[in-house]
Amino acid sequence: MTLVRVTNALAVANLTDQALRVRAVQAASAYDQDVLVTVLHAYMTTASRRGARTSVKTLDAYALALRDFVPWARDNGVTLLRPGARDGGRYLARLQTRPSQGQGKAGPLSASTVAQYVAGGRALYRALRWAGATEAQPFEETHAPPDPTP
């Protein structure tokens, strides 16, 4: 994790409970991906199971997932702080039917990519709960199917 990201994450983690809640609510209401990523990183580095030992790859993967989910939510009328109970499943279905982008690949996203994006969405909502912004858990019953490749 770069020094700037660590500094930003720690600055957010050091906010008072009320200031953190306000920052998270404002970011979610505005679909502000940059601030939401910072809140996510603050949660991951201070309150997740791995804490400050969370790998840079995990932080980057969850940020990528967030940057995919947030525009999808905005474009599909999902209010981030009050998502519907089925919105996690709707997003999963979209991931499973969306063609892969980049690296010359055509076809659906791989099972591991789908699982990574669902995990990122789940982490976003853990971070928003940690920040006191929402109690929503739209990914609670959403599970990516296992990879069929042995």
Side-chain angles (χ1 to χ4, degrees):
M1 196 162 156
T2 67
L3 183 59
V4 171
R5 285 198 289 187
V6 169
T7 303
N8 289 343
L10 290 177
V12 168
N14 287 330
L15 293 172
T16 65
D17 290 346
Q18 182 63 23
L20 175 60
R21 183 183 153 314
V22 167
R23 170 108 20 118
V25 166
Q26 288 174 338
S29 298
Y31 299 92
D32 186 332
Q33 296 174 43
D34 293 332
V35 175
L36 288 171
V37 166
T38 303
V39 170
L40 175 63
H41 285 173
Y43 162 76
M44 295 296 295
T45 57
T46 63
S48 70
R49 287 182 193 152
R50 304 246 340 135
R53 292 183 180 203
T54 302
S55 78
V56 173
K57 286 185 178 188
T58 299
L59 294 171
D60 288 344
Y62 285 4
L64 181 65
L66 181 152
R67 291 183 187 283
D68 185 75
F69 174 72
V70 170
W72 175 86
R74 181 193 61 228
D75 296 345
N76 287 279
V78 175
T79 304
L80 291 177
L81 297 176
R82 290 186 187 90
R86 295 180 308 277
D87 287 334
R90 290 177 49 221
Y91 179 64
L92 172 62
R94 184 262 188 167
L95 290 172
Q96 291 176 308
T97 58
R98 177 178 113 188
S100 182
Q101 300 168 342
Q103 298 179 344
K105 292 183 179 181
L109 294 174
S110 71
S112 62
T113 299
V114 169
Q116 172 187 311
Y117 279 36
V118 169
R122 197 172 283 125
L124 168 63
Y125 278 92
R126 281 195 311 266
L128 290 172
R129 286 192 307 278
W130 167 77
T134 187
E135 289 299 317
Q137 298 183 46
F139 290 93
E140 182 177 37
E141 297 298 322
T142 304
H143 305 285
D147 190 344
T149 307

